[in-house]
Amino acid sequence: WRRRGAVAGGQFGGWGGVSADAPGVLGQVGGSASTAAVYVRVTPAGLSSGVAVPEFAKGKSISNLISMKLVGGKIQAKVSAGSARIVMDVSGYFSARAGASFTPLSPARVFLGKATTTTRLAQIAGLGGVPADATAVMVNVGVSAPTAAGYVRVTPAGLNSGVAVQEFAKGKSISNLMSMKLVGGKIQVKVSAGSAGIVMDVSGYFSARALGTTTG
């Protein structure tokens, strides 16, 4: 989407693996190529609010995790000034049917290392309170001291996609919360150029077992 103050609508129900009757979604909202310093508002279709999702400077790129209610399978987005390119990448959805439940955890570091343009696996299950049978996690991914401007990709182990979690400038640190499916208890990480320090702090997990309780 690229909108100048106007509302842009997006269909999520029935797309990208999201059930047609899903009441809400989890996903990343990214903003880039803005013509002014702006903030993005993402809301259920037909509803407007004063809540900003990410804010970003003119010409800069940034992304943020959101949890959003769907109305008729849709959400809407607009920027506060000028125009910007908006990208939304879904990472999960809510359903009234049987599925995985979420258990929050006290934040715990589960990965500390360097990422390059070559994929690196990170073991998550069994660390930081995440059980071996967890199907997905909520994890904050931090990037530090990148040697080049680029973006970081975090995906389920063995699966590569064109989805970027966060873009960053050379030498600048940044972080973003994400929801990620686990494959064999692992996820994978790589950057688009150069190398960077990567930290991952888990804050909860999804499991097919009965609803968990707060740990910490």
Side-chain angles (χ1 to χ4, degrees):
W1 292 323
R2 190 179 180 89
R3 285 286 173 174
R4 188 182 301 274
V7 173
Q11 179 71 40
F12 279 75
W15 290 83
V18 178
S19 172
D21 62 353
V25 290
L26 274 172
Q28 295 284 341
V29 175
S32 64
S34 59
T35 61
V38 300
Y39 56 82
V40 182
R41 285 183 178 161
V42 180
T43 55
L47 302 176
S48 189
S49 75
V51 177
V53 181
E55 298 185 45
F56 50 103
K58 180 180 178 180
K60 301 297 183 181
S61 299
I62 197 167
S63 62
N64 196 21
L65 180 71
I66 68 162
S67 172
M68 187 58 56
K69 177 183 178 180
L70 298 177
V71 172
K74 300 180 178 71
I75 59 178
Q76 64 186 35
K78 69 176 181 178
V79 295
S80 58
S83 65
R85 181 172 182 266
I86 304 298
V87 177
M88 296 188 181
D89 300 315
V90 69
S91 56
Y93 66 91
F94 298 94
S95 174
R97 292 173 290 178
S101 59
F102 178 70
T103 300
L105 297 169
S106 295
R109 185 143 300 172
V110 291
F111 180 84
L112 173 62
K114 179 179 286 189
T116 65
T117 55
T118 300
T119 299
R120 179 170 181 177
L121 289 173
Q123 178 69 40
I124 305 297
L127 301 174
V130 179
D133 63 351
T135 57
V137 289
M138 293 289 287
V139 62
N140 195 64
V141 178
V143 179
S144 63
T147 61
Y151 53 84
V152 60
R153 284 183 180 163
V154 180
T155 54
L159 302 175
N160 198 11
S161 73
V163 176
V165 175
Q166 185 60 278
E167 298 189 47
F168 48 83
K170 180 180 179 180
K172 301 296 183 180
S173 298
I174 197 166
S175 64
N176 191 20
L177 182 66
M178 52 169 285
S179 172
M180 185 55 57
K181 178 181 177 181
L182 299 176
V183 172
K186 300 179 176 69
I187 57 180
Q188 63 186 35
V189 60
K190 70 176 181 178
V191 293
S192 60
S195 64
I198 302 292
V199 297
M200 297 184 190
D201 299 321
V202 71
S203 57
Y205 65 89
F206 295 88
S207 171
R209 292 182 294 175
L211 182 64
T213 56
T214 303
T215 302

